[in-house]
């Protein structure tokens, strides 16, 4: 399965600032997925990032708050903009395995907004 | 609203016992079913996937699917303390690549 490098692994940020999270995959993938996992909760899909087109956002998530770039088939970034303490969460990127037998996740970014 | 329901636990079993984790889903059109394990502070990792009714075995793990009852389960035989984690049931409906995640069941295996 694909190997995903995600960074930063954690950060503490001031409210009102922005943080960009990067994910690098060791193989070309069509779709990359960005998730949020709030404390004690399961995963919530933020958006699907397709190379060469606008990301598709889920209900409750907007591009102005979570802009996504997907410049090529191995890389994507998610920016958390104008952060507030409610954005404190773990952010995960994910890709579908080539065998279509599941999804692989990056190691996650633990974000704390103070 | 498509849902995946799991008992949050914690489920506590002694070492060497069988741990049984259960999950129900609401969308009858669901086609693919996954079990992920998530250790505290780590990202989820795939344990099992199952597409067809019946049992699927992989080492100490057995996934069971009953589409008529909209029920999927994971059995862990000879449970080890290292199996202590949260187990997430995940469902994918039809041709939609979108995954629906359960809230997870916390499993504690006691030495």
């Amino acid at each position: 399965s694909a190997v995903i490098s995600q960074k930063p692994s954690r950060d503490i940020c001031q409210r009102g600032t922005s943080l960009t999270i990067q994910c690098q995959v060791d193989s070309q993938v069509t779709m990359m997925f960005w998730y949020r996992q709030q404390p004690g909760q399961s995963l919530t899909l933020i958006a699907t990032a397709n190379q060469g087109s606008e990301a598709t956002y889920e209900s409750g998530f907007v591009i102005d708050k979570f802009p996504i770039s997907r410049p090529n088939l191995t890389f994507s970034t998610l920016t958390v903009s104008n952060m507030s303490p409610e954005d404190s969460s773990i952010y995960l990127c994910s890709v579908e395995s080539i065998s279509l037998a599941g999804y692989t996740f990056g190691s996650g970014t633990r974000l704390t907004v103070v | 609203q498509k849902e995946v329901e799991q008992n949050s636990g914690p489920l506590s079993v002694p070492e060497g016992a069988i741990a049984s984790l259960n999950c129900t889903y609401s969308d009858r059109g669901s086609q693919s079913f996954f079990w992920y394990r998530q250790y505290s502070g780590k990202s989820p990792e795939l344990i099992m996937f199952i597409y067809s009714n019946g049992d699927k075995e992989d080492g100490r793990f057995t996934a069971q699917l009953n589409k008529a009852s909209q029920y999927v389960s994971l059995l862990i035989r000879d449970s080890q303390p290292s199996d202590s984690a949260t187990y997430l049931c995940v469902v994918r409906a039809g041709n939609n690549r979108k995954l629906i995640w359960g809230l997870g069941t916390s499993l504690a295996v006691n030495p």
Side-chain angles (χ1 to χ4, degrees):
Chain A
S1 59
V3 175
I4 305 174
S5 299
Q6 182 174 345
K7 58 181 182 181
S9 59
R10 60 178 62 231
D11 207 341
I12 301 174
C13 300
Q14 297 290 324
R15 68 174 66 201
T17 63
S18 298
L19 175 71
T20 295
I21 302 167
Q22 300 180 3
C23 271
Q24 178 75 51
V25 189
D26 69 345
S27 58
Q28 294 183 339
V29 293
T30 303
M31 292 189 290
M32 292 180 71
F33 305 90
W34 287 98
Y35 285 88
R36 181 174 72 183
Q37 187 173 26
Q38 294 181 305
Q41 301 295 315
S42 191
L43 278 71
T44 301
L45 181 64
I46 298 171
T48 302
N50 302 301
Q51 194 271 336
S53 64
E54 292 284 336
T56 303
Y57 289 82
E58 297 301 307
S59 175
F61 298 96
V62 295
I63 188 171
D64 289 347
K65 176 66 175 178
F66 297 100
I68 287 172
S69 77
R70 185 78 201 276
N72 57 53
L73 291 173
T74 63
F75 186 78
S76 180
T77 67
L78 170 76
T79 298
V80 186
S81 303
N82 189 23
M83 288 183 286
S84 66
E86 291 72 32
D87 294 319
S88 297
S89 187
I90 298 174
Y91 293 84
L92 295 149
C93 62
S94 175
V95 301
E96 188 169 17
S97 70
I98 295 175
S99 65
L100 302 183
Y103 294 74
T104 303
F105 287 84
S107 55
T109 297
R110 183 180 295 273
L111 170 63
T112 302
V113 183
V114 298
Chain B
Q1 179 74 13
K2 300 176 183 178
E3 293 181 346
V4 175
E5 302 281 351
Q6 294 181 256
N7 187 324
S8 62
L11 173 64
S12 183
V13 301
E15 183 174 358
I18 296 176
S20 178
L21 304 161
N22 305 314
C23 172
T24 59
Y25 59 95
S26 62
D27 184 3
R28 285 195 171 275
S30 299
Q31 297 289 329
S32 309
F33 307 86
F34 307 89
W35 283 99
Y36 280 79
R37 177 176 65 197
Q38 186 173 27
Y39 292 112
S40 180
K42 302 294 185 182
S43 58
E45 57 178 324
L46 181 66
I47 298 297
M48 293 282 291
F49 64 92
I50 187 168
Y51 301 148
S52 304
N53 277 328
D55 295 359
K56 179 182 179 184
E57 186 174 320
D58 183 1
R60 295 187 296 112
F61 299 96
T62 298
Q64 299 174 317
L65 175 62
N66 184 325
K67 289 186 178 181
S69 299
Q70 296 177 240
Y71 176 90
V72 59
S73 66
L74 178 70
L75 301 178
I76 306 174
R77 290 180 298 281
D78 187 25
S79 296
Q80 302 297 310
S82 59
D83 295 325
S84 299
T86 296
Y87 289 81
L88 299 161
C89 176
V90 190
V91 174
R92 183 170 65 197
N95 293 323
N96 188 340
R97 284 285 183 261
K98 192 178 302 185
L99 302 179
I100 310 298
W101 293 75
L103 292 178
T105 298
S106 175
L107 172 66
V109 181
N110 305 308

